[in-house]
Short mmCIF file of all heavy atoms in Angstrom, two decimals:
data_model
loop_
_atom_site.label_atom_id
_atom_site.label_comp_id
_atom_site.label_asym_id
_atom_site.label_seq_id
_atom_site.Cartn_x
_atom_site.Cartn_y
_atom_site.Cartn_z
N TYR A 172 167.49 50.78 110.35
CA TYR A 172 168.37 51.84 109.88
C TYR A 172 167.85 53.22 110.28
O TYR A 172 168.59 54.05 110.83
CB TYR A 172 168.51 51.75 108.35
CG TYR A 172 169.67 52.53 107.80
CD1 TYR A 172 170.86 51.90 107.44
CD2 TYR A 172 169.59 53.92 107.68
CE1 TYR A 172 171.93 52.64 106.96
CE2 TYR A 172 170.65 54.66 107.20
CZ TYR A 172 171.82 54.02 106.84
OH TYR A 172 172.88 54.74 106.38
N VAL A 173 166.57 53.49 110.02
CA VAL A 173 166.07 54.84 110.26
C VAL A 173 165.93 55.15 111.74
O VAL A 173 165.87 56.32 112.14
CB VAL A 173 164.73 55.11 109.52
CG1 VAL A 173 164.87 54.82 108.04
CG2 VAL A 173 163.57 54.34 110.13
N THR A 174 165.89 54.12 112.56
CA THR A 174 165.77 54.32 114.00
C THR A 174 166.98 55.08 114.56
O THR A 174 166.85 55.86 115.50
CB THR A 174 165.60 52.96 114.69
OG1 THR A 174 164.40 52.38 114.19
CG2 THR A 174 165.48 53.08 116.19
N ASP A 175 168.13 54.90 113.92
CA ASP A 175 169.34 55.61 114.36
C ASP A 175 169.17 57.12 114.38
O ASP A 175 169.78 57.81 115.18
CB ASP A 175 170.51 55.30 113.41
CG ASP A 175 171.13 53.95 113.71
OD1 ASP A 175 170.75 53.35 114.74
OD2 ASP A 175 171.98 53.50 112.92
N PHE A 176 168.36 57.64 113.46
CA PHE A 176 168.20 59.09 113.44
C PHE A 176 166.75 59.52 113.67
O PHE A 176 166.35 60.62 113.29
CB PHE A 176 168.78 59.70 112.15
CG PHE A 176 168.31 59.05 110.86
CD1 PHE A 176 167.05 59.32 110.36
CD2 PHE A 176 169.15 58.18 110.17
CE1 PHE A 176 166.63 58.74 109.17
CE2 PHE A 176 168.73 57.59 108.98
CZ PHE A 176 167.47 57.87 108.48
N GLY A 177 165.96 58.66 114.28
CA GLY A 177 164.59 59.03 114.64
C GLY A 177 163.65 59.07 113.46
O GLY A 177 162.60 59.73 113.51
N GLY A 178 163.99 58.36 112.39
CA GLY A 178 163.12 58.34 111.22
C GLY A 178 161.98 57.36 111.35
O GLY A 178 161.87 56.63 112.34
N VAL A 179 161.13 57.36 110.34
CA VAL A 179 159.96 56.47 110.36
C VAL A 179 159.77 55.88 108.97
O VAL A 179 160.02 56.55 107.96
CB VAL A 179 158.70 57.24 110.84
CG1 VAL A 179 158.33 58.39 109.92
CG2 VAL A 179 157.50 56.30 111.00
N VAL A 180 159.36 54.61 108.92
CA VAL A 180 159.02 53.98 107.65
C VAL A 180 157.50 53.97 107.53
O VAL A 180 156.80 53.48 108.42
CB VAL A 180 159.58 52.55 107.56
CG1 VAL A 180 159.17 51.91 106.23
CG2 VAL A 180 161.09 52.55 107.70
N ALA A 181 157.01 54.53 106.43
CA ALA A 181 155.56 54.57 106.17
C ALA A 181 155.25 53.50 105.14
O ALA A 181 155.69 53.58 104.00
CB ALA A 181 155.15 55.95 105.68
N GLN A 182 154.50 52.53 105.56
CA GLN A 182 154.27 51.35 104.70
C GLN A 182 152.94 51.41 103.96
O GLN A 182 151.90 51.73 104.56
CB GLN A 182 154.31 50.08 105.59
CG GLN A 182 153.98 48.78 104.88
CD GLN A 182 155.06 48.29 103.90
OE1 GLN A 182 155.32 48.92 102.86
NE2 GLN A 182 155.70 47.18 104.22
N HIS A 183 153.00 51.12 102.68
CA HIS A 183 151.78 50.86 101.89
C HIS A 183 151.55 49.36 102.04
O HIS A 183 152.15 48.56 101.34
CB HIS A 183 152.02 51.26 100.43
CG HIS A 183 150.85 51.01 99.53
ND1 HIS A 183 150.29 52.00 98.77
CD2 HIS A 183 150.14 49.88 99.29
CE1 HIS A 183 149.27 51.49 98.08
NE2 HIS A 183 149.17 50.20 98.37
N ALA A 184 150.69 49.01 102.99
CA ALA A 184 150.55 47.62 103.40
C ALA A 184 149.69 46.84 102.42
O ALA A 184 148.47 47.01 102.39
CB ALA A 184 149.95 47.56 104.81
N GLN A 185 150.35 45.99 101.65
CA GLN A 185 149.60 45.22 100.67
C GLN A 185 150.51 44.14 100.11
O GLN A 185 151.45 44.44 99.37
CB GLN A 185 149.18 46.15 99.55
CG GLN A 185 148.20 45.57 98.60
CD GLN A 185 147.77 46.69 97.69
OE1 GLN A 185 148.42 46.95 96.69
NE2 GLN A 185 146.72 47.38 98.05
N ASP A 186 150.26 42.91 100.51
CA ASP A 186 151.10 41.82 100.04
C ASP A 186 150.84 41.56 98.56
O ASP A 186 149.73 41.18 98.19
CB ASP A 186 150.82 40.55 100.87
CG ASP A 186 151.85 39.47 100.60
OD1 ASP A 186 152.31 39.37 99.44
OD2 ASP A 186 152.19 38.73 101.53
N PRO A 187 151.85 41.78 97.72
CA PRO A 187 151.60 41.64 96.28
C PRO A 187 151.27 40.21 95.87
O PRO A 187 150.66 39.99 94.83
CB PRO A 187 152.93 42.11 95.64
CG PRO A 187 153.95 42.00 96.72
CD PRO A 187 153.23 42.17 98.03
N ARG A 188 151.64 39.24 96.70
CA ARG A 188 151.32 37.85 96.39
C ARG A 188 149.84 37.57 96.65
O ARG A 188 149.26 36.65 96.09
CB ARG A 188 152.19 36.89 97.21
CG ARG A 188 153.65 36.95 96.84
CD ARG A 188 153.94 36.24 95.54
NE ARG A 188 153.76 34.79 95.66
CZ ARG A 188 153.48 33.99 94.65
NH1 ARG A 188 153.30 34.47 93.44
NH2 ARG A 188 153.34 32.69 94.86
N LEU A 189 149.24 38.34 97.54
CA LEU A 189 147.81 38.15 97.86
C LEU A 189 146.92 39.11 97.09
O LEU A 189 145.71 38.94 97.04
CB LEU A 189 147.58 38.32 99.37
CG LEU A 189 148.18 37.24 100.26
CD1 LEU A 189 148.08 37.65 101.73
CD2 LEU A 189 147.46 35.90 100.04
N ALA A 190 147.52 40.17 96.56
CA ALA A 190 146.76 41.16 95.79
C ALA A 190 147.39 41.24 94.41
O ALA A 190 148.31 42.02 94.19
CB ALA A 190 146.82 42.52 96.48
N PRO A 191 146.93 40.44 93.48
CA PRO A 191 147.56 40.42 92.16
C PRO A 191 147.51 41.78 91.50
O PRO A 191 146.66 42.60 91.84
CB PRO A 191 146.72 39.39 91.38
CG PRO A 191 145.45 39.26 92.14
CD PRO A 191 145.76 39.58 93.57
N HIS A 192 148.41 42.02 90.55
CA HIS A 192 148.51 43.38 90.01
C HIS A 192 147.26 43.80 89.25
O HIS A 192 147.04 44.97 89.02
CB HIS A 192 149.77 43.52 89.14
CG HIS A 192 149.67 42.82 87.82
ND1 HIS A 192 149.93 41.49 87.68
CD2 HIS A 192 149.32 43.27 86.60
CE1 HIS A 192 149.75 41.13 86.42
NE2 HIS A 192 149.37 42.20 85.74
N THR A 193 146.40 42.86 88.88
CA THR A 193 145.15 43.23 88.20
C THR A 193 144.06 43.64 89.19
O THR A 193 143.03 44.16 88.79
CB THR A 193 144.62 42.04 87.37
OG1 THR A 193 144.53 40.90 88.24
CG2 THR A 193 145.50 41.74 86.18
N ALA A 194 144.28 43.37 90.50
CA ALA A 194 143.23 43.66 91.50
C ALA A 194 142.83 45.12 91.43
O ALA A 194 143.67 46.01 91.29
CB ALA A 194 143.74 43.33 92.90
N CYS A 195 141.53 45.38 91.52
CA CYS A 195 141.09 46.78 91.47
C CYS A 195 139.79 47.00 92.23
O CYS A 195 139.23 48.09 92.19
CB CYS A 195 140.96 47.27 90.04
SG CYS A 195 139.86 46.30 89.01
N CYS A 196 139.32 45.98 92.96
CA CYS A 196 138.04 46.11 93.67
C CYS A 196 138.12 45.31 94.96
O CYS A 196 138.65 44.19 94.95
CB CYS A 196 136.93 45.56 92.77
SG CYS A 196 135.29 45.53 93.52
N HIS A 197 137.61 45.87 96.03
CA HIS A 197 137.52 45.14 97.29
C HIS A 197 136.96 43.74 97.05
O HIS A 197 135.90 43.60 96.43
CB HIS A 197 136.61 45.93 98.24
CG HIS A 197 136.29 45.20 99.51
ND1 HIS A 197 137.26 44.71 100.35
CD2 HIS A 197 135.10 44.88 100.08
CE1 HIS A 197 136.68 44.12 101.39
NE2 HIS A 197 135.38 44.20 101.24
N GLU A 198 137.67 42.71 97.54
CA GLU A 198 137.19 41.34 97.31
C GLU A 198 135.96 41.08 98.17
O GLU A 198 135.99 41.23 99.39
CB GLU A 198 138.29 40.34 97.66
CG GLU A 198 137.92 38.90 97.35
CD GLU A 198 139.03 37.93 97.70
OE1 GLU A 198 140.02 37.84 96.94
OE2 GLU A 198 138.94 37.28 98.76
N GLY A 199 134.88 40.68 97.53
CA GLY A 199 133.62 40.44 98.23
C GLY A 199 132.52 40.32 97.20
O GLY A 199 132.80 40.17 96.01
N PRO A 200 131.28 40.42 97.66
CA PRO A 200 130.16 40.24 96.73
C PRO A 200 130.23 41.19 95.52
O PRO A 200 129.92 40.78 94.40
CB PRO A 200 128.93 40.56 97.58
CG PRO A 200 129.37 40.32 99.00
CD PRO A 200 130.84 40.60 99.04
N TYR A 201 130.67 42.42 95.73
CA TYR A 201 130.73 43.37 94.62
C TYR A 201 131.71 42.95 93.54
O TYR A 201 131.42 43.04 92.36
CB TYR A 201 131.09 44.78 95.11
CG TYR A 201 129.88 45.60 95.47
CD1 TYR A 201 129.44 45.66 96.78
CD2 TYR A 201 129.16 46.28 94.49
CE1 TYR A 201 128.32 46.41 97.12
CE2 TYR A 201 128.05 47.03 94.81
CZ TYR A 201 127.63 47.09 96.14
OH TYR A 201 126.53 47.83 96.45
N SER A 202 132.90 42.50 93.96
CA SER A 202 133.91 42.14 92.96
C SER A 202 133.40 40.99 92.11
O SER A 202 133.57 40.98 90.88
CB SER A 202 135.25 41.80 93.61
OG SER A 202 135.12 40.73 94.53
N GLY A 203 132.70 40.06 92.74
CA GLY A 203 132.14 38.94 91.99
C GLY A 203 131.08 39.40 91.01
O GLY A 203 131.12 39.06 89.83
N ARG A 204 130.17 40.23 91.50
CA ARG A 204 129.06 40.65 90.66
C ARG A 204 129.51 41.58 89.53
O ARG A 204 129.03 41.50 88.41
CB ARG A 204 128.00 41.34 91.52
CG ARG A 204 126.65 41.43 90.85
CD ARG A 204 125.53 41.55 91.85
NE ARG A 204 125.71 42.65 92.77
CZ ARG A 204 125.60 43.93 92.43
NH1 ARG A 204 125.32 44.26 91.20
NH2 ARG A 204 125.77 44.88 93.34
#
Side-chain angles (χ1 to χ4, degrees):
Y172 196 102
V173 305
T174 298
D175 281 351
F176 51 77
V179 62
V180 178
Q182 175 71 293
H183 179 124
Q185 191 172 86
D186 191 325
R188 293 285 291 155
L189 291 170
H192 73 277
T193 53
C195 57
C196 176
H197 172 55
E198 184 180 283
Y201 270 95
S202 58
R204 198 156 55 70

